[in-house]
Amino acid sequence: MDALHNYSRRRAGRAASGRAGGAFCFARRAASVILAGPEPMSAKMPFRLTELVLAAVLAAAALVWVERTTWRQISALRAELNGAETARLLAADASAGERFRAEANAALTRLQRFLFLSLLGLVFGGAGVVVLIYRRLIVPLRSTLSESRAIIERQEKLASLGVFAAGIAHEIRNPLTAIKVRLFTLRNSHKPGTSEHEDLAVIHNEINRLETIVQDFLQFARPAEPELQTLPVGRLLRGTGELLETGLAARGIRLKLELRTDEPVRVDPDKMKQVLINFVQNGADSMPSGGTVTLRSRQQRQVLNERPVNAVVIDIADAGTGMSAEVRSRLFDPFFTTKEQGTGLGLSIAARIVEKHGGIIQYETEPGQGTTFSIVLPPAPPHDAEY
Ligand SMILES: Nc1ncnc2c1ncn2[C@@H]1O[C@H](COP(=O)(O)OP(=O)(O)OP(=O)(O)O)[C@@H](O)[C@H]1O
Ligand SMILES: [Mg+2]
């Protein structure tokens, strides 16, 4: 499977790869692997102030120790050189004077070596502290910043889309209502069973369908606030499974529930089921000749809203077609679809709903092997026993 993707991180990555090229790109990648490690998600590790303080105290202690030792050695040497014993030896005995000079030289060489090694230690130690600070502080801050930018960008786009959508919906609804009223009178003037009456029934159904589409679109552009309840995650998954099982079985798809945790989550059950249904349907659509979609709950330590938490993760895994780089780059764009009958709103609605729950969406995919989407939700607050 590919590396884990965070959907909001994707945009920042796309902009960066567009600018970089050739050797520069390679150098950047190499530098990021050295500094951030091979798995960029690890940069999401929280930065702890205590670690920085500890590193600074250790570095300062090492510096003090090096200075003190060097100072002592130099002082001792100077005292010996300037002492009466040295003067007497040098005056009285030439060979003893030679020996002393040799010893003094050896001591100075030792001192120089020592100074050189301590300098090396300081340089590498300092570099280590800088890398540590970079990985723990700057990388997470930069990724949080680019994530926030992507979210703001998306929300701005959606806000203007919301105003636009409301206007269009209003304009479409008015003539639709007028058509429906006329249709009602027309239908009454034709006897049931006649071909005219049947045609009018079809037109009536299609108008209803149009109204639903307009309604869905409005819901996407201006979603209502979730009505949060606390419930065990297993209940949510079982409820979704019950809704889907029969329809999926008819398409040769088995829905497998795998409850590794039944921790409570604080969600709007209807909205979260809507999200799960879209993920499961997408998984099923990616396996035209049938197969298994797994709906799994598990717990994992993750960083959400810049805080490490024991997140409740819902995986939706399929063994379908997987997604190409092109599909991945447009996955959460409204109206992006590769399906004839798709609206392309499923994932963008899902992303908005999950965001409103304080969660994130991640995915792993491999063309020809399958895809796993993960909804990462914060755990329900403790003692929140509504269920
Ligand atoms: N599990 C998956 N496997 C392969 N491709 C996927 C998967 N999930 C999503 N996709 C791709 O992402 C696109 C967008 O999905 P999204 O749910 O937003 O819209 P859709 O499924 O095409 O339409 P709708 O949800 O309105 O029926 C899909 O058309 C498909 O190409
Ligand atoms: Mg869909």
Side-chain angles (χ1 to χ4, degrees):
M1 289 265 169
D2 261 13
L4 199 66
H5 297 265
N6 245 17
Y7 95 90
S8 45
R9 189 178 293 264
R10 175 185 57 87
R11 287 159 195 271
R14 193 170 52 185
S17 66
R19 283 193 304 272
F24 176 61
C25 193
F26 174 77
R28 259 174 64 127
R29 176 85 192 111
S32 77
V33 167
I34 292 164
L35 291 170
E39 175 55 85
M41 283 301 292
S42 64
K44 284 223 99 184
M45 284 286 288
F47 163 74
R48 286 191 209 111
L49 193 65
T50 45
E51 282 172 7
L52 180 65
V53 171
L54 192 67
V57 168
L58 283 177
L63 200 68
V64 168
W65 182 76
V66 167
E67 290 239 346
R68 205 164 145 251
T69 316
T70 316
W71 186 261
R72 274 188 182 170
Q73 291 218 10
I74 291 172
S75 307
L77 198 65
R78 185 166 295 139
E80 214 170 320
L81 275 172
N82 296 330
E85 179 67 6
T86 314
R88 194 181 57 78
L89 281 173
L90 286 175
D93 185 342
S95 72
E98 266 315 304
R99 216 172 38 248
F100 176 76
R101 203 166 290 120
E103 271 172 18
N105 272 332
L108 277 173
T109 312
R110 272 204 305 278
L111 190 61
Q112 277 174 327
R113 196 175 299 144
F114 172 76
L115 277 177
F116 179 68
L117 287 178
S118 359
L119 196 68
L120 271 188
L122 276 177
V123 168
F124 280 110
V129 170
V130 169
V131 169
L132 188 82
I133 291 173
Y134 183 80
R135 288 184 58 171
R136 292 289 168 118
L137 178 64
I138 298 173
V139 171
L141 277 181
R142 265 177 34 182
S143 72
T144 310
L145 188 69
S146 59
E147 267 174 30
S148 319
R149 265 201 209 125
I151 289 171
I152 290 170
E153 210 176 88
R154 220 166 65 81
Q155 278 172 351
E156 274 171 0
K157 263 192 215 163
L158 288 172
S160 50
L161 187 65
V163 177
F164 178 66
I168 298 252
H170 186 252
E171 292 304 311
I172 293 177
R173 264 187 195 157
N174 281 349
L176 276 186
T177 316
I179 295 171
K180 266 176 104 173
V181 173
R182 295 295 170 98
L183 206 62
F184 183 74
T185 12
L186 257 181
R187 277 180 89 186
N188 283 345
S189 62
H190 290 281
K191 282 205 179 93
T194 61
S195 67
E196 286 85 356
H197 195 272
E198 269 168 32
D199 286 348
L200 291 172
V202 172
I203 295 171
H204 185 255
N205 285 343
E206 291 302 302
I207 288 175
N208 283 345
R209 204 159 76 88
L210 268 178
E211 275 186 336
T212 319
I213 292 173
V214 171
Q215 196 56 42
D216 280 355
F217 183 57
L218 260 182
Q219 197 223 333
F220 158 71
R222 291 186 160 178
E225 282 301 311
E227 288 174 22
L228 299 176
Q229 287 176 28
T230 301
L231 73 161
V233 65
R235 194 190 298 171
L236 186 68
L237 299 201
R238 275 192 294 271
T240 312
E242 279 159 18
L243 286 174
L244 289 170
E245 245 159 17
T246 323
L248 290 175
R251 297 167 59 188
I253 305 280
R254 188 170 86 91
L255 186 63
K256 186 177 153 205
L257 279 192
E258 211 180 286
L259 300 182
R260 294 190 193 163
T261 182
D262 203 11
E263 281 296 305
V265 280
R266 194 153 172 75
V267 294
D268 181 324
D270 290 337
K271 290 206 161 43
M272 206 42 86
K273 274 183 199 160
Q274 185 190 346
V275 169
L276 290 174
I277 288 171
N278 181 59
F279 277 119
V280 173
Q281 297 284 18
N282 280 353
D285 292 345
S286 77
M287 296 186 294
S289 13
T292 302
V293 176
T294 305
L295 203 49
R296 181 187 309 119
S297 65
R298 63 189 168 91
Q299 245 191 332
Q300 191 183 32
R301 195 97 182 133
Q302 284 250 16
V303 176
L304 282 179
N305 302 315
E306 293 162 45
R307 279 181 45 232
V309 291
N310 284 327
V312 176
V313 183
I314 303 172
D315 293 326
I316 308 95
D318 64 65
T321 51
M323 295 183 286
S324 65
E326 216 257 301
V327 169
R328 289 201 308 259
S329 69
R330 304 193 51 199
L331 204 52
F332 291 93
D333 290 352
F335 306 108
F336 169 73
T337 182
T338 53
K339 302 170 193 170
E340 251 173 51
Q341 298 293 319
T343 64
L345 284 177
L347 285 179
S348 35
I349 292 181
R352 293 200 89 183
I353 294 177
V354 173
E355 239 167 55
K356 279 193 177 284
H357 283 79
I360 54 169
I361 295 174
Q362 299 173 331
Y363 65 91
E364 288 179 274
T365 186
E366 178 73 34
Q369 303 285 309
T371 302
T372 300
F373 277 97
S374 303
I375 302 168
V376 184
L377 292 172
H383 317 300
D384 198 357
E386 263 179 44
Y387 57 93

